[in-house]
Amino acid sequence: MKLNPFNTRIGLALGGGAARGIAHIGVLKAFEEEGIRIHCISGTSAGALIASYYAFGRPAESILSICSTLNLSRIINFTLERGGLFSTHVIREMIQRDLGDCRIEDAEIPLAICATDIETGEQLIFREGSLADAVCASMAVPGLFVPVEIDGRTLVDGGLVENVPISPLEKMGAGITIAVDLSHVARYPKPENTLDVISNAINISIDFNTRKQLKNADIVVPLDLSRYSLTNNADRVNDLYLEGYHPMKKKIHRVLWYKRMNVLISLLKTTATLLPFKVPEIIKSLKNQALTLRNRS
């Protein structure tokens, strides 16, 4: 429950989605065109990478030029380390090349990066520390990338716990939370082999949790990107960019409406939470009483 109904600070959560994460850049472009400031930002997996560049001052078009050539074959680096087939060294080098050896707490926009402790199942939310370490941990898909160790903890993809990281935003001071879900699909691909069955099962589990968690956001931008690859969209970069841009542009009026009406919205939510029964039940009861009185007369 939001304690300050006058808080109209905007918090943006960018979800995981591998190579489909380019759609997030279109979302950011929509905010830039409307001149709407994002006060804090959180990210998981691919969303963590995009959120990091934006939080450290890179505009949407600059991020697009950096990420437009990214695909699985370019970021993987085969390794003989235990725990995965590939290392995250290329991702680390890219961040350090573009942003430097920076720390999360130095971001221009308050930033949160989410990862998962593979031993405890606990979500870790990084608000400080090495940016490259946190992003690599958040992007370390289990079984594919080697887990990242930070402070003695073995960390992997944050999407296992919260694929669209809404939960950190309120603690970061957001009064209006916006969630971008890259995995809002109606159907999953028909499995052709055992690996496909396993992949679908994992995605169904993650998406089931995500849909419940999305109820905590004020505004949700659900994107069905099932037509795009999880590994390589180099030939469809602009299409994928627009998949995020157009839906966010359509939702911008809701963002502005929330900023104007946040006090009333907060009061209604608080009333609904505190009442011992639901408002529709009150209306139904009043209707029944009115019918009873009318029948008696």
Side-chain angles (χ1 to χ4, degrees), residues 205-243:
S205 177
I206 292 174
D207 294 346
F208 178 77
N209 288 330
T210 298
R211 288 189 174 96
K212 291 192 293 184
Q213 294 162 350
L214 288 174
K215 295 177 182 178
N216 296 319
D218 293 311
I219 298 171
V220 177
V221 184
L223 304 179
D224 183 350
L225 304 178
S226 55
R227 297 182 294 110
Y228 296 87
S229 169
L230 285 168
T231 59
N232 186 0
N233 293 296
D235 59 339
R236 305 179 69 188
V237 169
N238 193 60
D239 291 341
L240 193 50
Y241 168 82
L242 293 175
E243 292 280 3

Side-chain angles (χ1 to χ4, degrees), residues 44-58:
T44 292
S45 196
L49 182 66
I50 304 299
S52 296
Y53 274 84
Y54 198 73
F56 275 88
R58 293 297 182 97

Side-chain angles (χ1 to χ4, degrees), residues 5-80:
F6 299 97
N7 181 5
T8 58
R9 292 168 58 86
I10 292 175
L12 179 65
L14 303 183
R20 298 168 181 168
I22 290 171
H24 285 315
I25 306 172
V27 169
L28 295 173
K29 182 63 176 178
F31 276 96
E32 288 181 353
E33 286 187 347
E34 297 294 333
I36 298 175
R37 178 185 174 190
I38 297 170
H39 296 85
C40 56
I41 190 167
S42 62
T44 292
S45 196
L49 182 66
I50 304 299
S52 296
Y53 274 84
Y54 198 73
F56 275 88
R58 293 297 182 97
E61 289 189 5
S62 173
I63 302 172
L64 183 63
S65 66
I66 293 169
C67 296
S68 61
T69 58
L70 283 183
N71 56 64
L72 187 62
S73 64
R74 291 198 58 179
I75 66 172
I76 61 176
N77 184 18
F78 184 74
T79 180
L80 296 177

Side-chain angles (χ1 to χ4, degrees), residues 8-227:
T8 58
R9 292 168 58 86
I10 292 175
L12 179 65
L14 303 183
R20 298 168 181 168
I22 290 171
H24 285 315
I25 306 172
V27 169
L28 295 173
K29 182 63 176 178
F31 276 96
E32 288 181 353
E33 286 187 347
E34 297 294 333
I36 298 175
R37 178 185 174 190
I38 297 170
H39 296 85
C40 56
I41 190 167
S42 62
T44 292
S45 196
L49 182 66
I50 304 299
S52 296
Y53 274 84
Y54 198 73
F56 275 88
R58 293 297 182 97
E61 289 189 5
S62 173
I63 302 172
L64 183 63
S65 66
I66 293 169
C67 296
S68 61
T69 58
L70 283 183
N71 56 64
L72 187 62
S73 64
R74 291 198 58 179
I75 66 172
I76 61 176
N77 184 18
F78 184 74
T79 180
L80 296 177
E81 298 178 58
R82 295 180 60 184
L85 298 174
F86 310 105
S87 76
T88 53
H89 294 328
V90 175
I91 299 170
R92 181 184 304 278
E93 290 172 358
M94 184 182 76
I95 293 171
Q96 292 176 338
R97 179 199 69 205
D98 296 330
L99 302 177
D101 189 15
C102 51
R103 297 180 64 81
I104 298 170
E105 61 267 30
D106 295 329
E108 297 177 18
I109 301 172
L111 171 67
I113 305 295
C114 299
T116 303
D117 186 320
I118 197 62
E119 296 182 41
T120 66
E122 178 185 0
Q123 180 188 47
L124 267 70
I125 300 173
F126 290 96
R127 295 285 315 282
E128 58 184 23
S130 166
L131 176 69
D133 284 350
V135 173
C136 285
S138 185
M139 295 184 71
V141 178
L144 187 61
F145 289 99
V146 175
V148 176
E149 286 203 11
I150 300 178
D151 296 331
R153 306 188 73 162
T154 306
L155 306 179
V156 297
D157 195 326
L160 294 180
V161 177
E162 190 177 18
N163 199 38
V164 185
I166 303 160
S167 63
L169 294 176
E170 190 171 344
K171 293 179 181 178
M172 297 168 72
I176 301 169
T177 54
I178 303 167
V180 184
D181 178 18
L182 303 183
S183 304
H184 196 84
V185 298
R187 291 182 63 86
Y188 296 87
K190 184 176 181 179
E192 301 292 338
N193 51 53
T194 303
L195 289 178
D196 288 346
V197 173
I198 294 172
S199 175
N200 277 12
I202 294 172
N203 289 332
I204 289 169
S205 177
I206 292 174
D207 294 346
F208 178 77
N209 288 330
T210 298
R211 288 189 174 96
K212 291 192 293 184
Q213 294 162 350
L214 288 174
K215 295 177 182 178
N216 296 319
D218 293 311
I219 298 171
V220 177
V221 184
L223 304 179
D224 183 350
L225 304 178
S226 55
R227 297 182 294 110

